[in-house]
Amino acid sequence: GLGLRAIPYWLRAGERAIGAVALSEAVIHLESGLRLVRQLEPGADRDEFELKFLSALGTAYLALKGWAATEIIDTFVPAYRLAKTLSNETQAMTALFYIWSHYVCRSLFDRSAQWLTTTLDLGEGDASADITIVGHWMGCIQHVWTGEFLKSKFHFDSVLRKYNKDK
């Protein structure tokens, strides 16, 4: 009972540790809280908490171990799935960017291309242009690094078409 009431405090402790760049401590706090979250009954509240913990934990791992760390995938793939379940497009976009970046930094362009496609597909149904812009920006970068300059230009032009400087 009391342990479950501690969940928000573990999250806050982890976020504060990230803010203080006490990254090892952040990972410990966030993993402790995540273990408690996984004891909750399945449902939207549990999913919301789990998404918050995974996103913070992924951020801590990124800062601690770098883009190529396998923990990026271990945290942000489930975070993406939860964000989709919860219809949280901002968190879904963030998770997709981290996953794509992980594979790009490891020069695993076939895998990064799959996540790029997922990002662009998510942007197709989005009312805001943000996800579409991020997806095309990712495509621009991806195709420069793979030497596909005409594809890169297509994505660059798409960013320019969708971008609203007044927003």
Side-chain angles (χ1 to χ4, degrees), residues 2-68:
L2 288 178
L4 297 179
R5 289 180 34 204
I7 290 171
Y9 297 102
W10 281 117
L11 181 60
R12 191 168 2 167
E15 291 171 341
R16 290 184 71 172
I18 290 170
V21 196
L23 302 172
S24 296
E25 292 79 2
V27 168
I28 292 167
H29 297 323
L30 294 166
E31 286 180 344
S32 296
L34 189 56
R35 279 192 296 278
L36 291 174
V37 167
R38 290 182 173 150
Q39 293 176 22
L40 295 172
E41 292 292 322
D45 289 340
R46 174 190 164 156
D47 290 350
E48 287 280 352
F49 267 124
E50 190 169 1
L51 177 57
K52 289 176 184 178
F53 273 93
L54 288 170
S55 296
L57 187 57
T59 300
Y61 278 131
L62 172 63
L64 184 64
K65 296 186 172 196
W67 284 107

Side-chain angles (χ1 to χ4, degrees), residues 138-152:
M138 290 162 52
C140 182
I141 303 297
Q142 168 105 11
H143 294 300
V144 163
W145 287 347
T146 57
E148 300 168 291
F149 302 115
L150 291 177
K151 287 182 180 180
S152 179

